[in-house]
Amino acid sequence: MASRLSMRQHLDTLFDNNSWALMTRNSSPPWPAEPDPQNLWFEWYHPRFTIFGTLAFFLVMKFWMLILASTIPMPAGFFMPVFIMGAAIGRLLGEALSLAFPEGIVAGGVINPIMPGGYALA
C-alpha cells in the first residue's frame, strides 16, 4: 500500500519492453532515492532479490490487499487491481521466457525477440 509509484507508473513499468532479468544479471544499479521517470524499472529492482522474487512478492501483496479491499463495507475499486495483477503475472511469464531464450525464439528461420511487456499486455 505504501508504494512510491502511482497505478499509472506501475502499468508503465509492467508494459515496458526491456527485460529486467537480463538487465540486472550483469549489473548492480544503485537504489535511487527518488523515482526516476526515465528508469521506473529500478523500482522493481532490489539488490538482494531477483526480479522474479520481487514480482512474486508484489503479486502476493496485491492479492491479499485486493481481498481486503473487496470485503470491507465501503466502495472499493476492483477493476484496476485485477488489471495490475494480470499485467504482473504476464510480466513474470515474459521475464521467465526472456531469461530462458535471451536471443529470442527461432521459428521458420526467423528470430522472434521476446518482449516481456507484450506478455504483460496480453
Side-chain angles (χ1 to χ4, degrees):
M1 290 180 163
S3 176
R4 297 187 331 163
L5 298 181
S6 67
M7 283 291 194
R8 176 175 167 67
Q9 289 172 322
H10 275 304
L11 283 175
D12 286 346
T13 58
L14 288 171
F15 295 150
D16 183 16
N17 270 332
N18 297 321
S19 176
W20 303 335
L22 297 178
M23 292 171 85
T24 59
R25 184 188 318 167
N26 298 327
S27 64
S28 297
W31 190 285
E34 290 294 320
D36 178 16
Q38 301 301 319
N39 292 311
L40 287 176
W41 76 273
F42 280 144
E43 294 298 311
W44 296 92
Y45 171 77
H46 193 276
R48 293 185 301 170
F49 301 107
T50 65
I51 192 62
F52 302 105
T54 306
L55 277 170
F57 180 72
F58 175 77
L59 282 167
V60 168
M61 296 302 289
K62 192 59 102 170
F63 182 71
W64 78 262
M65 287 187 285
L66 177 62
I67 292 171
L68 178 68
S70 63
T71 57
I72 57 176
M74 62 185 280
F78 195 73
F79 175 74
M80 200 62 179
V82 171
F83 190 66
I84 296 282
M85 283 183 60
I89 291 169
R91 183 70 194 212
L92 190 61
L93 178 67
E95 288 293 337
L97 286 174
S98 177
L99 188 64
F101 303 103
E103 302 298 322
I105 297 175
V106 179
V110 177
I111 298 175
N112 300 308
I114 295 172
M115 298 181 186
Y119 288 89
L121 184 62

